[in-house]
Amino acid sequence: YNEPVYTMKRHLLIGHDEDVARFVTERAPVERPLFKPPYWGFGMLNDAGTLVAGCVVHDWQPDFLRCEVSGVAISYYAVSSQIVKAIYGGFIFGQLGAFRVFARTETTNNRAKRLLRHIGFIEEAIQGHHYGPQRHASCWRLLKPEWEAKWSSEARKAA
């Protein structure tokens, strides 16, 4: 995927997978992800060129058309609708051809859960004690038809 997206005060960084993966790993609030190739990193830069958010698409399972996403943001204002559409619509469901996307966060991470809901993810399960005693994981999924229903231009016009 090589179509940069430029929005006011937000720029999508493409082609720097290792840099974005390092940014996400170093700032992960609970568990440090171990990204194994292939993975794809999408960074959000502010106007000064500083990385302020990152999303890594990883654990691609082509036989099942599924992948996982991991991300962090210093400020969630860094994640615009245009950037979400580029990553999910342009790459994950477009170029990669995924049908299912998985994400996981700690059950107490309300900011991450709000962002996942905004993107269109649906909470599927709670993994008890996934991050240690009394630290549970909230598991989320996004299917291609759910993405299309929320983000297609027709759905946007009807809203």
Side-chain angles (χ1 to χ4, degrees):
Y1 187 76
N2 57 7
E3 298 177 25
V5 174
Y6 301 102
T7 61
M8 191 167 77
K9 297 190 179 181
R10 298 174 203 106
H11 311 285
L12 185 58
L13 176 67
I14 300 168
H16 296 267
D17 301 335
E18 291 180 17
D19 295 330
V20 174
R22 187 176 318 105
F23 177 87
V24 171
T25 299
E26 289 171 354
R27 289 161 183 82
V30 180
E31 180 180 30
R32 303 277 185 239
L34 300 172
F35 301 118
K36 296 176 186 168
Y39 62 85
W40 301 270
F42 297 87
M44 281 59 69
L45 303 173
N46 63 16
D47 280 343
T50 304
L51 198 54
V52 293
C55 175
V56 179
V57 180
H58 58 99
D59 196 24
W60 171 235
Q61 302 289 320
D63 291 343
F64 305 107
L65 301 177
R66 73 174 179 235
C67 63
E68 185 170 351
V69 293
S70 297
V72 296
I74 293 172
S75 167
Y76 284 98
Y77 294 109
V79 185
S80 71
S81 293
Q82 286 178 303
I83 287 174
V84 168
K85 287 178 187 179
I87 295 170
Y88 286 84
F91 180 74
I92 294 174
F93 293 120
Q95 183 177 333
L96 196 57
F99 181 80
R100 177 187 172 89
V101 182
F102 175 78
R104 179 178 21 232
T105 190
E106 193 166 15
T107 54
T108 58
N109 190 340
N110 293 322
R111 287 176 54 190
K113 294 191 309 186
R114 271 193 308 275
L115 179 61
L116 289 168
R117 266 190 213 96
H118 169 72
I119 293 169
F121 279 83
I122 296 170
E123 188 174 30
E124 276 194 316
I126 302 296
Q127 292 178 317
H129 313 285
H130 182 77
Y131 297 117
Q134 304 303 315
R135 296 184 74 187
H136 313 303
S138 175
C139 302
W140 297 73
R141 71 118 200 279
L142 178 60
L143 303 180
K144 185 175 183 177
E146 295 164 348
W147 165 264
E148 291 169 344
K150 178 172 175 108
W151 292 94
S152 71
S153 57
E154 296 80 27
R156 301 298 290 161
K157 289 176 187 173

